[in-house]
Amino acid sequence: MRSPKRLGEKIIERLLLLSALVSILLVALIFLFLFREGLPAFAEIPLLSFLTGETWQPVAEEPKYGILPLLSGTMLVTIGAVGVAVPLGISTALYLSEVAGSREKEILKPFIELLAGVPSVVYGFVALTVLATAVQTLFGNTFRLNALNGSLVLAVMILPTIVSIAEDALSAVPMEYKEAAWALGASRWETLRRVVLPAASSGVFIGVILGIGRAVGETMAVLMATGNSPVVTADFFRSIETMTAAIAIEMGEVVYGSVHYSALFAIGLVLFAITFVINLAADAFVERSVRRFKR
Amino acid sequence: MIESFKKVKIDVRALNVWFYKKHVLKDLSMRFRTNAVTSIMGPSGCGKTTLIRSLNRMNEVLKGSRTEGEVLVDGENVYDSDIDVFELRRRVGMVFQKPNPFPKSIFENVAFGLRIQGMNKRDQLEERIMVSLRRAGLWDEVKDRMEESALTLSGGQQQRLCIARALAVEPEVILMDEPTSALDPAATARIETLIRELAKDYTVVIVTHNMQQAARVSDLTAFLYIGELIEYSPTPDIFENPQNVLTEKYITGEFG
Amino acid sequence: MNKRSKETLFFQILRLGTYVTVSTVVALLAYLVYMGSDMLSFSFVTSFPREGMTAGGIYPTVVGTLYLMALVLLLSLPLGVAAAVYLSEYAGERESSLVRIIRIATANLAGVPSIVYGLLGLGLFVLFLGFGFSLLSASLTLSLLTLPVIITASVEALKTVPHSYREAALALGATKWQTTKRVVFPHALPGILTASIIGLSRAAGETAPIMMTGVAYFLSGLPQSVIDQFMALPFHIFALSTQSPNPDLTRPIQFGAVLVLLLLVLSMNLVAILLRTYYRRRLS
């Protein structure tokens, strides 16, 4: 009964572990290259004027590298998108998990999943050709491509994230809670509002956070929808430019190794930091919601 | 013998319940008395739970259920179409097999039923919550930690909290579905004492598959077998002198 | 207002929200199908663009996208599945801090914007490793982007395999790898396939990362090797609609290309969804 040396088993386990380590390697590489390529920018641009400068004019005679307009652009479209997508997404999730019959749910859900499969360039194309015209006809705005246009298209894009995560959280609420509420004379609506939604709140919140993360990081759709002029504004009818759009547009024309090139990587670094924090926040909520149902 | 008990609170008449094709309760008729504890026992799958859930119309939240027949509470058929089912469930409270407090504070758990009745004043709530927790024998253990999560309580405490939660809305009937099956013997004993106490003011119906428990807590005992009421008598009679051979077999442990 | 009518009112509001969402999808898709269907033909998909891309078909972009997908599949699927097998089968019940870090890293990678992967691809593959602006750089970049999707979903698929299956195999004297290969893996395969299809379809539609690593606006021929540049369907849509001298002139071609991309990507998604529903039903 002496154990043979199972060399093959050991080698396989090592190989598998190695593959799993790729995730860590990848995060490290992202950090490494963003810093490596982005940091030289700060030899030329003081960090403070980079983050708070109100002018982004990297190709002017006297280039200015203030990313505040890009930050504000990203924030504006994200706020707009969240404002539209959260109420719609949560009502859809509530309807699917608590109101719709199982047949109805089975038909409706794939449509929402299909939304997630549409490439962002297609959304961008729709925003550029159709939505922009519709918005202009409706509001008579001067800028055909603007923040509102970007927000609306982003809202549709982040809906599936919000719906599917919120719906999972709502469906995970134990039946016992609902029965307890019904037995006390609560209607299905009261049970939904006072028991199910609070119990699933962290899960619903995770959906919203991850939706925000997607909105912040989205590139092609906002690039094609918003008009891309880097101004600090809170006006949804103005053209704005997001961080992602600036990187995508300008990287094609930049001299590799120049200050402008480094500055674009530095924007990437800021973007990465923001989404990283958003993801960590979501993780923290996952932990919380897991603990919640443990008795 | 049963007739010697006090007045009838719930009158079940020719009740039939189906889940999809399965006929779970068959033409069942029986009466529940006020200020008495009635036990319903029988082997698993005999329809005990379905019977008590038909009294507050909780079967209809389950998929595929269909009910025929009448359940009169104080002479009024709860299956009439114009009955306010929410008011019915307030009047006929329920405690479940597994303690199921909400993931909220102790205070909010007991306040829940009151809040949906529209009571929102803090001092009114506090008063009613204290009374209910006292009645459930939990007040002394939780009075200093009302804002803590109910899930931090032990299983027995959680079940008493659920009883307090049911009592807060001032029901007239309390239905209990094997309320101690998830609890240890000490916690079970406390709940049984509590059940006896409650019988002074309420109509209590308890489902149990534990015969000793039925013998200890109840005034009347019904024996159900595959959806039919086999025997229904004062508790001492049914245990000492069962009339039906099935009841006798069950009591002597020949099946179960 | 009584409880019943309040309930009805609020449920109707929820229903309205849901149907607004769903009808948006239907309207969007119907519009794109309608606008693109005029162009859609065999020759549109199989002929080169002509007259400065104002006429002709989209053949090289379709081929470029298919090349990309094939390379991404080759690069990310084995690695992703291997990583998932380790995390689910070998990492053990009590996870070490290393495994925990791997999990957190994977979860976070899924949320990293695609443009950041583009920056990594540019810095690492195009410039540092000297692969240049090429099919190789672009497909490596997209593989990295797809990897977390495949890992996460494959772990989920592996988790659905009942523990008793593993125990049964182990109790018969099978080694860990035999158990994994012969019992666990076949059972999780549909789930893993679903995940890969979805990951791959996402890669096929990505635009920003390939803009920074190798896609070309126009090429007169197909790429001959992995170090050549290539054209791609999603970038073609972007380029024609925003970068070309007269976007209105090529509008029909744009709608045609959009429809082809949608058909490609959505049919993959649909297959994945159906596959999942089918196997879920078979399991339950």
Side-chain angles (χ1 to χ4, degrees), chain B residues 26-254:
Chain B
K26 297 166 189 161
D27 218 22
L28 191 139
S29 297
M30 70 185 289
R31 293 170 162 184
F32 297 94
R33 310 278 157 170
T34 49
N35 303 86
V37 178
T38 307
S39 283
I40 300 167
M41 61 176 197
S44 34
C46 69
K48 305 180 293 261
T49 299
T50 304
L51 172 58
I52 65 162
R53 290 179 69 113
S54 68
L55 305 183
N56 62 346
R57 286 180 51 178
M58 280 293 284
N59 281 325
E60 60 197 51
V61 308
L62 302 174
K63 271 194 183 153
S65 75
R66 185 161 67 85
T67 306
E68 277 175 16
E70 294 185 332
V71 173
L72 309 180
V73 175
D74 289 338
E76 214 178 357
N77 182 11
V78 304
Y79 285 94
D80 278 351
S81 55
D82 58 346
I83 282 288
D84 179 354
V85 66
F86 308 119
E87 175 62 10
L88 166 71
R89 290 183 190 148
R90 184 199 64 74
R91 287 174 60 195
V92 182
M94 187 165 224
V95 175
F96 295 82
Q97 194 168 357
K98 205 171 122 203
N100 58 353
F102 300 121
K104 296 171 183 279
S105 69
I106 295 170
F107 183 91
E108 283 304 326
N109 261 280
V110 189
F112 182 86
L114 299 169
R115 286 197 191 277
I116 60 171
Q117 305 293 330
M119 185 191 286
N120 276 312
K121 289 214 182 82
R122 186 81 192 181
D123 51 338
Q124 280 180 330
L125 284 172
E126 275 172 357
E127 172 67 24
R128 287 277 282 276
I129 288 168
M130 185 185 74
V131 171
S132 314
L133 284 168
R134 279 227 168 96
R135 300 220 61 171
L138 191 61
W139 173 249
D140 291 332
E141 291 156 66
V142 301
K143 63 172 185 255
D144 300 320
R145 46 192 285 212
M146 296 295 284
E147 294 310 318
E148 279 177 40
S149 165
L151 303 182
T152 61
L153 297 173
S154 73
Q157 289 173 323
Q158 287 189 7
Q159 196 60 303
R160 278 180 281 142
L161 180 69
C162 293
I163 294 174
R165 185 176 63 185
L167 294 179
V169 293
E170 300 183 330
E172 295 149 33
V173 180
I174 298 168
L175 309 172
M176 296 183 162
D177 187 1
E178 301 191 30
T180 62
S181 63
L183 305 180
D184 62 51
T188 300
R190 289 210 59 164
I191 301 240
E192 285 180 2
T193 317
L194 178 59
I195 293 171
R196 288 298 334 153
E197 284 284 315
L198 293 175
K200 288 177 192 156
D201 301 292
Y202 303 92
T203 304
V204 181
V205 181
I206 171 172
V207 162
T208 179
H209 58 217
N210 177 335
M211 277 173 281
Q212 287 79 15
Q213 182 166 66
R216 281 193 301 265
V217 304
S218 58
D219 305 297
L220 295 156
T221 297
F223 175 67
L224 251 64
Y225 188 72
I226 328 182
E228 287 181 69
L229 180 62
I230 305 297
E231 195 164 348
Y232 183 27
S233 320
T235 303
D237 297 1
I238 207 166
F239 282 102
E240 283 154 29
N241 188 17
Q243 300 297 305
N244 190 295
V245 63
L246 281 170
T247 320
E248 190 175 354
K249 273 190 174 174
Y250 182 72
I251 287 166
T252 53
E254 267 184 61

Side-chain angles (χ1 to χ4, degrees), chain A residues 71-84 147 150-151 154 158 211-217 222 236 242 278:
Chain A
L71 272 169
S72 85
T74 294
M75 263 177 64
L76 190 64
V77 286
T78 303
I79 291 169
V82 167
V84 176
S151 293
L154 264 186
I158 66 175
I212 294 174
R214 262 205 82 180
V216 169
V222 286
F236 276 101
T242 64
I278 289 175

Side-chain angles (χ1 to χ4, degrees), chain A residues 123-209:
Chain A
Y123 282 112
F125 181 75
V126 170
L128 179 75
T129 56
V130 190
L131 190 61
T133 311
V135 167
Q136 201 169 28
T137 317
L138 209 60
F139 297 101
N141 39 299
T142 4
F143 297 93
R144 202 180 102 85
L145 299 178
N146 52 38
L148 178 65
N149 202 25
S151 293
L152 290 176
V153 77
L154 264 186
V156 180
M157 296 179 75
I158 66 175
L159 254 172
T161 309
I162 298 177
V163 172
S164 70
I165 297 177
E167 207 250 324
D168 283 348
L170 290 164
S171 304
V173 174
M175 183 68 176
E176 291 101 81
Y177 294 169
K178 297 184 212 170
E179 291 216 311
W182 292 330
L184 286 164
S187 66
R188 288 210 302 157
W189 166 249
E190 285 164 338
T191 306
L192 191 57
R193 193 168 74 82
R194 291 171 183 266
V195 179
V196 179
L197 198 53
S201 61
S202 5
V204 173
F205 201 63
I206 292 168
V208 174
I209 294 179

Side-chain angles (χ1 to χ4, degrees), chain C:
Chain C
M1 202 173 7
N2 77 20
K3 278 172 108 140
R4 271 280 178 230
S5 36
K6 206 166 157 185
E7 176 173 294
T8 315
L9 173 70
F10 282 109
F11 281 4
Q12 290 306 333
I13 293 174
L14 296 182
R15 172 173 284 137
L16 184 71
T18 308
Y19 280 89
V20 165
T21 309
V22 171
S23 41
T24 308
V25 190
V26 176
L28 180 75
L29 295 181
Y31 178 76
L32 292 175
V33 169
Y34 172 74
M35 293 300 284
S37 56
D38 284 348
M39 288 303 292
L40 199 63
S41 68
F42 185 71
S43 72
F44 180 66
V45 182
T46 55
S47 58
F48 273 86
R50 284 178 284 112
E51 296 162 36
M53 300 211 292
T54 56
I58 54 169
Y59 180 58
T61 71
V62 175
V63 173
T65 293
L66 291 179
Y67 280 175
L68 264 183
M69 285 167 64
L71 286 171
V72 169
L73 186 68
L74 210 67
L75 292 165
S76 65
L77 187 64
L79 197 59
V81 173
V85 166
Y86 183 81
L87 287 175
S88 145
E89 304 301 312
Y90 285 78
E93 282 294 295
R94 265 220 208 121
E95 60 179 34
S96 65
S97 50
L98 178 69
V99 173
R100 212 179 120 73
I101 293 172
I102 296 178
R103 273 189 221 283
I104 292 177
T106 313
N108 276 295
L109 281 172
V112 172
S114 61
I115 189 108
V116 172
Y117 282 97
L119 289 173
L120 173 66
L122 173 62
L124 175 62
F125 301 125
V126 176
L127 299 175
F128 184 76
L129 294 177
F131 297 158
F133 221 58
S134 65
L135 186 55
L136 180 63
S137 295
S139 41
L140 281 168
T141 307
L142 287 186
S143 302
L144 296 184
L145 191 148
T146 313
L147 204 56
V149 180
I150 294 185
I151 297 177
T152 317
S154 301
V155 168
E156 290 299 315
L158 289 163
K159 267 191 198 153
T160 60
V161 180
H163 202 65
S164 55
Y165 291 16
R166 296 183 179 88
E167 287 183 336
L170 291 172
L172 290 167
T175 63
K176 186 116 197 165
W177 176 240
Q178 286 168 331
T179 306
T180 304
K181 195 174 66 175
R182 287 165 193 269
V183 179
V184 180
F185 198 72
H187 201 83
L189 195 61
I192 293 174
L193 277 178
T194 309
S196 320
I197 296 173
I198 287 179
L200 206 57
S201 81
R202 200 167 292 171
E206 278 295 349
T207 314
I210 58 172
M211 271 166 76
M212 301 161 78
T213 52
V215 79
Y217 181 71
F218 177 73
L219 296 169
S220 54
L222 298 176
Q224 297 305 307
S225 81
V226 289
I227 54 163
D228 286 349
Q229 279 188 261
F230 61 100
M231 293 178 78
L233 200 43
F235 181 73
H236 195 60
I237 296 167
F238 169 70
L240 283 185
S241 61
T242 65
Q243 313 291 97
S244 68
N246 190 353
D248 288 333
L249 187 67
T250 55
R251 205 61 95 199
I253 298 181
Q254 296 162 25
F255 274 106
V258 165
L259 184 56
V260 173
L261 179 63
L262 269 183
L263 288 177
L264 175 73
V265 167
L266 292 188
S267 61
M268 289 171 78
N269 272 273
L270 204 63
V271 168
I273 292 173
L274 292 178
L275 201 69
R276 195 188 54 200
T277 322
Y278 173 73
Y279 278 99
R280 254 192 210 155
R281 210 169 274 164
R282 214 190 59 171
L283 282 180
S284 61

